[in-house]
Amino acid sequence: MSTESVAVVGGSIAGCAGALAVSRSGAEVVVFERSTVRLQDRGVGLTLHNDRYAELEEAGYLDSGMPWHRLARRPWVVRDGAARTGREIGVLPMPFRSYNWGSLWEELRGRIPSGVEYRTGAQVSRVRESAGGTVVQLADGTEERYDFVVGADGYRSVVRDAMYPRTGAEYAGFLAWRGTLPEGMLPGPPDAWPGEEAASVGFPGGHVLIYRIPGPGGVGTTVNWVFYAVPPAGTASRFADPQTVQPRIMSDALKRYQLELVDEHLPPFWQEVIRLTRPEDTFVQPMYDMVAPGYALGRLVLLGDAASIARPNTGSGAIKALQDAAALERALLAHDARQEALAAYSAERMPVGRATVELGRRLGRAQVTETPDWQTMDQSDVERWWLEAAGTQGFGGHALRR
Ligand SMILES: Cc1cc2nc3c(=O)[nH]c(=O)nc-3n(C[C@H](O)[C@H](O)[C@H](O)COP(=O)(O)OP(=O)(O)OC[C@H]3O[C@@H](n4cnc5c(N)ncnc54)[C@H](O)[C@@H]3O)c2cc1C
């Protein structure tokens, strides 16, 4: 293939990895990121399965210089009288690395080759194909022409809109309240909660997952919690349309509702962890499901959340985006014709997106909307329940084809 010009719309995790992928295939790349705020300040956690990490390290998308925290066990606990950290009903393996979203993004951004132009404050309002190229229209009205366009612009993707106009994300019926606090603010004693544990507290209608991540900039240690529950009746219409929802905004009513659930269902230690979190370090995310009908069409291709959105219960949103990029690079290098490369990429990655979204639906039911009677469960019940919900593979991502 002769040197092609490529626009990557979105400069988050998928966008950085996508820019790396396409530039490694020999193309000239411009990244358009609409945000002007520092993406490295988005400081919540995400997890990467150890096996998936190893594949992506080999593919050159992750490396040991990126700050991470080791996780190993996932105890499931329930409230039990005054027991400070609750009663453990069972333990599942948790062979994951946890990352600080902001520092992971910063590391990925730093690995984009200097020849790639990364523009901030550059909002793409529309893309359209025209004879022999693709036109990217910016919010300021200017237009630029590229050989093809990579949509790494998240769940409200304008690139996906140009490909498949009516493929919206579907509200999953529950929310994740999220928060972080410095490890030093944990209520004592310091060994109440071992560092390698991703604690899960189950309650009727939801659960909370709490684990440590690297601190801001990869320095120190931060505690990250994700509290899943169905919001109060009558709020569904507020979250139904991802195009109109105000992402990350936590109303006072939603905050109050979460704290009522916390007081009712969490053991004292975990109540304190959530109550100690500063309001400015909390936000709320509605959960959505979506798979695009194809990952490539004409001169347009999708990566990451623009291509498919799975609930974070799958522990694989970032893995999926990074794998998409690695697969795109492989396809571009393996085929002489771009169209064949993009078709091969779509054929490889769309089934993975579908399977991940389906796993998210099952885990959402098992852990939030149709929770079991945690109080009566023991280790073998927990193992059986997990196997029914998660199966034997897919939690933390599917293996990357090499
Ligand atoms: C704070 C945070 C925490 C997360 N935690 C978890 C987790 O714990 N577990 C998990 O599995 N997943 C998690 N995720 C999701 C996971 O990070 C994503 O699935 C993965 O990183 C892929 O995201 P993305 O880059 O495709 O989309 P996004 O992160 O949504 O990035 C899209 C980017 O495109 C830009 N953009 C959008 N539209 C335009 C436009 N028109 N023009 C220009 N730029 C545009 C946006 O500003 C944004 O930077 C989290 C995401 C965030 C943001």
Side-chain angles (χ1 to χ4, degrees), residues 10 12-14 32-34 44-45 101 122 124 153 178 305 316-317:
S12 181
I13 287 186
F32 295 89
E33 169 53 54
R34 71 177 169 200
V44 295
W101 193 98
V124 173
D153 47 346
R178 308 196 57 154
D305 285 5
S316 59

Side-chain angles (χ1 to χ4, degrees), residues 116-353:
V116 171
E117 188 187 345
Y118 186 105
R119 295 189 204 160
T120 54
Q123 172 151 3
V124 173
S125 47
R126 205 175 150 217
V127 295
R128 65 173 194 279
E129 290 207 36
S130 70
T134 311
V135 174
V136 171
Q137 187 181 83
L138 293 158
D140 65 8
T142 55
E143 293 192 340
E144 298 181 17
R145 193 183 191 79
Y146 293 87
D147 289 317
F148 72 100
V149 172
V150 176
D153 47 346
Y155 71 118
R156 296 198 263 202
S157 168
V158 295
V159 180
R160 191 181 68 237
D161 278 351
M163 297 163 72
Y164 307 107
R166 280 172 294 281
T167 311
E170 189 185 324
Y171 175 51
F174 64 95
L175 309 180
W177 284 258
R178 308 196 57 154
T180 54
L181 71 164
E183 187 187 39
M185 284 176 69
L186 276 177
D191 59 352
W193 175 36
E196 63 181 31
E197 284 192 352
S200 296
V201 185
F203 57 86
H207 74 285
V208 55
L209 172 65
I210 312 125
Y211 55 90
R212 291 174 175 86
I213 60 172
V219 180
T221 306
T222 289
V223 174
N224 174 75
W225 53 259
V226 197
F227 183 99
Y228 296 98
V230 177
T235 54
S237 59
R238 209 187 312 159
F239 305 110
D241 181 359
Q243 297 299 335
T244 57
V245 84
Q246 291 283 308
R248 304 171 73 90
I249 303 280
M250 171 94 88
S251 68
D252 288 344
L254 277 181
K255 181 76 198 161
R256 267 198 311 276
Y257 182 75
Q258 185 212 6
L259 291 178
E260 281 166 24
L261 295 177
V262 164
D263 289 347
E264 190 179 347
H265 297 300
L266 298 199
F269 180 81
W270 304 115
Q271 284 187 16
E272 282 179 68
V273 168
I274 289 179
R275 285 197 167 274
L276 283 167
T277 308
R278 300 183 313 170
E280 58 269 38
D281 294 328
T282 62
F283 65 95
V284 73
Q285 266 181 315
M287 300 290 107
Y288 294 103
D289 302 313
M290 188 281 303
V291 190
Y295 277 29
L297 188 67
R299 293 171 180 269
L300 305 176
V301 59
L302 299 172
L303 287 186
D305 285 5
S308 66
I309 304 161
R311 307 173 191 186
N313 311 74
T314 59
S316 59
I319 282 286
K320 187 165 62 56
L322 294 165
Q323 289 185 335
D324 285 349
L328 181 62
E329 177 192 345
R330 184 163 23 78
L332 288 169
L333 290 172
H335 295 84
D336 290 334
R338 180 198 341 107
Q339 288 316 107
E340 283 174 22
L342 299 188
Y345 162 75
S346 180
E348 176 181 339
R349 294 303 299 170
M350 202 171 64
V352 177

